[in-house]
Structure formats: structure tokens, C-alpha cells
């Protein structure tokens, strides 16, 4: 009876058995928040029945659940039409096809974490951005496949974006960041540590209104050569 009334379930632990998940799959049907981050033992067979019983989810966190496969997202893609938050950080099983399917069937996502999802392509991230026009928080940390194309798309389509994490996206340059400075008026936070091609030339456009994770750096003086 207690579990049947739950609307929020958080199981961020390594010690749960398959029997535990079976109990939740049977008892829980009103969940709006499901957080299973850092549950490395959970499998598709454990998770899918829970998702099928809880189609009114608003928030789902499967970060660092490394024993899952892309198949586990099928109930989310097809039935969880009110989903606002999706966190899949460090999920090597997330595929390009799964991201494209999300973009095809879902439309309400606002807070998304795809950090260190190394198996997805930049092309599917672009499709994702074009579909989800209400993104407010987007985490792409550690995805070295991300280039300025992604940043251009965010500047063009994600007009409500408030927080963007590009930490470690080493292919991002000043051109991409400059587009954010010019076309993302609601941006409040930008993380670009580890983006070695991003300099003060682009960051200075937003220093007065956006929290940045890099301190102001004095530009190097231009050398003056005097003929002797």
C-alpha cells in the first residue's frame, strides 16, 4: 500500500536485487519521478516493467546504469509523453537510433543530460536539438564528437536555453560560442572548461550576463618588432 502511493522513487545504490525491482514493478503505478542513477546491476528486464506501469513520468534518471541497453528506452519513447527531464550520463549503451527515436516520438523535454555518451553521433544530436525547442538545461560534457555545428543549432533553435555544459568538447571554437553570445538571450550559465579552442574573444560577449567557468584572461600583448 505504501509503494502504491509513491510518486517519487530514488534508488541510487548498488545493493538492490532483481526481486527488489520486481516489487516496485508490481506495486508502483503513480510515479512521476524515477531516479535509478548509479544502479549498475539493473537490467532491461528489471526496468521495462516499471516504465510500462508508470507512463506519467516527468523525470527519469538512468545515469551510470551500465547493464542496460537501448531497448530499455522503448516504453519511454512510446508512452511517457509528459517527460520533462531525462538524464543518461555515462550510458555507453545509448545509441544514435535511440536518440533519433526519442526525437521522433517525444516533444516536451526541457532538462537533458547526455554527458559522456560516446556512442551517439553529432548528426543525431542535431536532430534532437531541432525537435526539442523548449530545452532549458543541456549537458553534453565529454562528447568529443560535438563541434560548432551543435552550438550553431542550439543558438538557432534553443531560444529558451538557460544552462549549457560543453566541458571537454574540445572541437568547439570561438565561432560557435560567439553564436551563443549573439543569439541566446536567456542563457545564464555556460561551461567550456577543456575547450582549448575557445578564447576570450568569444567569451567576452557574455561575461556581463552569463556565468562562465573560466576566469577572465588578459589578452597577450601583441609583440612590436623594432628594426635595429
Amino acid at each position: 500500500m505504501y509503494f502504491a502511493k509513491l510518486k517519487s522513487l530514488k534508488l541510487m545504490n548498488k545493493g538492490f536485487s532483481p526481486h527488489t525491482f520486481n516489487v516496485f514493478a508490481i506495486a508502483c503505478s503513480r510515479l512521476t519521478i524515477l531516479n535509478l542513477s548509479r544502479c549498475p546491476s539493473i537490467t532491461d528486464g528489471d526496468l521495462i516493467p516499471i516504465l510500462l506501469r508508470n507512463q506519467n513520468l516527468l523525470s527519469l534518471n538512468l545515469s551510470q546504469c551500465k547493464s542496460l541497453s537501448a531497448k530499455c528506452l522503448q516504453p519511454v519513447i512510446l508512452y511517457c509523453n509528459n517527460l520533462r527531464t531525462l538524464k543518461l550520463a555515462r550510458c555507453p549503451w545509448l545509441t544514435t537510433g535511440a536518440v533519433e527515436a526519442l526525437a521522433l516520438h517525444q516533444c516536451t523535454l526541457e532538462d537533458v543530460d547526455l554527458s559522456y555518451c560516446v556512442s551517439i553521433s553529432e548528426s543525431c544530436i542535431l536532430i534532437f536539438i531541432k525537435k526539442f525547442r523548449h530545452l532549458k538545461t543541456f549537458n553534453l560534457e565529454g562528447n568529443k564528437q560535438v563541434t560548432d555545428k551543435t552550438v550553431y543549432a542550439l543558438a538557432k533553435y534553443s531560444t529558451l536555453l538557460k544552462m549549457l555544459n560543453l566541458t571537454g568538447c574540445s572541437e568547439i571554437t570561438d565561432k560557435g560560442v560567439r553564436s551563443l553570445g549573439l543569439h541566446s538571450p536567456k542563457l545564464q550559465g555556460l561551461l567550456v572548461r577543456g575547450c582549448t579552442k575557445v578564447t576570450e574573444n568569444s567569451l567576452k560577449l557574455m561575461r556581463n550576463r552569463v556565468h562562465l567557468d573560466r576566469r577572465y584572461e588578459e589578452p597577450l600583448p601583441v609583440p612590436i618588432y623594432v628594426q635595429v
Side-chain angles (χ1 to χ4, degrees):
M1 291 177 64
Y2 172 78
F3 291 133
K5 297 177 181 179
L6 282 182
K7 292 188 176 181
S8 177
L9 178 61
K10 299 181 181 181
L11 299 176
M12 297 174 288
N13 194 292
K14 299 180 180 180
F16 296 106
S17 68
H19 174 68
T20 304
F21 295 112
N22 186 47
V23 170
F24 290 125
I26 295 172
C28 297
S29 61
R30 299 183 181 182
L31 296 177
T32 58
I33 299 173
L34 180 58
N35 188 342
L36 301 175
S37 61
R38 299 191 297 278
C39 285
S41 63
I42 190 171
T43 65
D44 293 352
D46 301 324
L47 178 60
I48 289 175
I50 299 176
L51 295 177
L52 288 173
R53 289 265 292 166
N54 294 274
Q55 298 179 13
N56 291 319
L57 283 177
L58 300 176
S59 175
L60 176 63
N61 189 341
L62 300 176
S63 297
Q64 301 184 53
C65 294
K66 297 182 179 180
S67 297
L68 296 172
S69 75
K71 180 182 177 181
C72 76
L73 293 178
Q74 288 181 356
V76 177
I77 293 169
L78 296 176
Y79 305 119
C80 297
N81 297 322
N82 297 317
L83 197 66
R84 298 288 191 275
T85 299
L86 180 62
K87 296 184 181 294
L88 300 172
R90 298 182 185 273
C91 290
W93 47 264
L94 183 65
T95 63
T96 291
V99 175
E100 291 176 347
L102 274 167
L104 180 63
H105 293 277
Q106 294 290 319
C107 61
T108 59
L109 288 176
E110 297 177 356
D111 180 359
V112 178
D113 188 346
L114 300 180
S115 57
Y116 294 96
C117 290
V118 296
S119 299
I120 61 176
S121 65
E122 184 175 45
S123 62
C124 79
I125 295 175
L126 294 173
I127 293 171
F128 191 90
I129 293 169
K130 291 176 183 178
K131 175 63 182 290
F132 296 104
R133 303 294 182 90
H134 296 91
L135 282 177
K136 295 179 180 178
T137 302
F138 199 25
N139 189 346
L140 290 171
E141 179 179 353
N143 288 306
K144 296 184 183 298
Q145 70 273 36
V146 169
T147 69
D148 284 339
K149 291 181 180 179
T150 295
V151 189
Y152 293 148
L154 287 166
K156 182 176 181 179
Y157 298 105
S158 302
T159 56
L160 301 179
L161 192 64
K162 293 182 178 181
M163 180 66 196
L164 177 61
N165 189 347
L166 297 174
T167 302
C169 298
S170 55
E171 295 303 311
I172 301 295
T173 73
D174 277 336
K175 292 181 180 179
V177 174
R178 188 176 292 111
S179 69
L180 286 174
L182 295 174
H183 303 292
S184 299
K186 295 192 176 182
L187 191 65
Q188 298 175 2
L190 175 64
L191 306 182
V192 289
R193 189 166 296 174
C195 299
T196 55
K197 299 178 182 178
V198 175
T199 71
E200 190 61 30
N201 289 330
S202 60
L203 296 177
K204 65 184 179 182
L205 296 175
M206 57 185 89
R207 280 207 177 272
N208 293 333
R209 61 182 179 87
V210 178
H211 170 75
L212 302 171
D213 65 340
R214 279 169 49 175
R215 295 180 179 179
Y216 174 77
E217 297 177 0
E218 291 283 352
L220 294 175
V222 178
I224 299 176
Y225 298 97
V226 178
Q227 186 174 2
V228 179

